[in-house]
Amino acid sequence: MKPPLKIAVAGLGTVGAGTLKLLQDQAELLAERGGRRIVVTAVSARDRRRDRGVELSAVRWYEDATAMAADPEIDVVVELIGGADGIARQVVDAALDHGKHVVTANKALMAHHGTRLAARAEERSLALSFEAAVAGGIPVIKALREGLAGNRLERVYGILNGTSNYILTTMRETGREFAEVLAEAQKLGYAEADPSFDIDGVDAAHKLAILASVGFGRPVDLAGVYAEGIRHVSRLDIDFAEELGYRIKLLGIARRTEDGLEQRVHPCMVSRATPIAAVEGVFNAVVAEGDFVGRVVLEGRGAGAFPTASSVAADLVDIAAGRRVAPFGVPAAALAPLPGAPPGGSMDTPGGNYPGTTQSGVPHYG
Ligand SMILES: NC(=O)c1ccc[n+]([C@@H]2O[C@H](COP(=O)([O-])OP(=O)(O)OC[C@H]3O[C@@H](n4cnc5c(N)ncnc54)[C@H](OP(=O)(O)O)[C@@H]3O)[C@@H](O)[C@H]2O)c1
């Protein structure tokens, strides 16, 4: 067997601790699949005394995650801190500058800086892997980039935010209003104290911008995503939709139109007969429509320590095995900017006013 792949993990919170546990419990399996052992050599987080649920006494601890990214012994830096800028960005930049492969779960970072980072990684023949950044445990990046490589995609859409989906599902099931269900979700730990990233569609917009780049071979264009969240969805909307045979879902939608690429996130009425309508609670789903394959539906857990760790591990096994693809499916220089198309089209107009629209203007989809 080849020498082990030595990794450094920056961030030991929900995803970081889950990843350490997976790497420990599945060590043999991963070694078989990657052709070499994956060994955690260094870690960094803020609080050294905090129990992470795994043995770290033999692992080098760094107070400074950016310094860790320069450690000559390390092959791969796994960035699990979060945030578009600040320390996460410094760690990833330092890792690429020092010739380390990067694995990250950070959708904000990839949505804001993905194209630049991909170009940097490519220049240095390094991996920049981000399966965990979109839809947690669902291997959607790999599915679009590799599994559907033989297709021109027409449309990619999905339920990309588990918190919003949980709130909408609970509102429908319990007949309660948005504010009440949000407060409960916060108590249960399903929603952050500041929930705006989730409920205002920002998190889904990050993921959609990444998906659109992978699916349509264009640079990541977060500014081109129209985003509206679920704050204004009322119980009455949900009841009306139900009566008409629909469910309200927060969808992220990217599609090729005559004018270019349309990217939008907003609440939609989806027919109860479609598979996506049955995706409830914290689950995510992604639907891709390709010209040769037709429709592909992927569903699973879009967040959580172990599902997200599952995606991090898949990226690490690829690196261990030497499987390398361009981060967005084509070389960074070949990412062709399609013009951004405004959200349009009669039935698909966010907030449009047409038969079947609910009172607050939730459009149909599906
Ligand atoms: N949670 C999920 O289900 C999920 C799913 C998919 C993707 N993601 C993404 O995964 C990333 C991590 O999310 P998370 O939920 O695991 O976050 P988290 O629980 O808040 O963990 C963040 C970790 O980063 C560490 N950290 C903060 N500042 C640091 C610094 N300056 N230097 C070193 N470490 C630092 C924290 O240290 P301490 O522990 O010492 O405070 C903590 O261990 C984010 O990009 C998130 O978007 C999360």
Side-chain angles (χ1 to χ4, degrees), residues 6-10 42-44 60-79 81 87-102 124 126:
K6 294 185 176 171
I7 73 166
V9 181
V43 295
S44 179
R60 229 171 8 255
W61 177 277
Y62 275 90
E63 296 295 332
D64 179 354
T66 312
M68 179 175 75
D71 184 328
E73 230 199 295
I74 302 297
D75 302 308
V76 184
V77 173
V78 183
E79 185 278 304
I81 297 173
I87 182 74
R89 183 177 161 190
Q90 286 166 26
V91 167
V92 170
D93 278 331
L96 296 175
D97 286 348
H98 287 88
K100 321 290 184 198
H101 303 294
V102 170
R124 307 213 59 188
L126 297 167

Side-chain angles (χ1 to χ4, degrees), residues 11-15 45-47 50 52 80 82 105-107 132 303-304 308:
L12 302 176
T14 305
V15 182
R46 278 176 305 205
D47 182 356
R50 207 168 123 197
R52 314 283 171 176
L80 304 173
N106 190 336
K107 50 241 169 180
T308 311

Side-chain angles (χ1 to χ4, degrees), residues 80-236:
L80 304 173
I81 297 173
D85 292 291
I87 182 74
R89 183 177 161 190
Q90 286 166 26
V91 167
V92 170
D93 278 331
L96 296 175
D97 286 348
H98 287 88
K100 321 290 184 198
H101 303 294
V102 170
V103 175
T104 180
N106 190 336
K107 50 241 169 180
L109 177 77
M110 289 305 297
H112 283 272
H113 305 292
T115 312
R116 177 184 67 78
L117 294 172
R120 181 71 182 134
E122 198 182 305
E123 260 167 42
R124 307 213 59 188
S125 303
L126 297 167
L128 169 66
S129 308
F130 49 90
E131 185 63 71
V134 180
I138 309 175
V140 62
I141 300 297
K142 208 183 254 295
L144 294 189
R145 189 179 56 198
E146 286 132 84
L148 299 179
N151 291 265
R152 187 171 290 275
L153 296 186
E154 295 304 324
R155 191 161 73 153
V156 180
Y157 63 97
I159 296 173
L160 301 174
N161 184 265
T163 304
S164 294
N165 204 43
Y166 169 82
I167 292 172
L168 292 173
T169 302
T170 308
M171 285 172 72
R172 184 181 60 74
E173 286 174 351
T174 64
R176 284 183 291 155
E177 282 296 355
F178 172 81
E180 205 185 318
V181 176
L182 170 62
E184 186 195 79
Q186 286 171 313
K187 253 193 236 149
L188 292 170
Y190 293 154
E192 303 282 334
D194 173 4
S196 61
F197 259 45
D198 289 324
I199 63 174
D200 293 327
V202 180
D203 174 75
H206 287 154
K207 295 169 183 166
L208 183 72
I210 299 168
L211 272 188
S213 180
V214 173
F216 296 95
R218 64 171 293 181
V220 187
D221 177 20
L222 180 63
V225 182
Y226 168 92
E228 179 194 321
I230 62 166
R231 262 181 213 275
H232 304 297
V233 176
S234 69
R235 213 194 96 191
L236 206 60

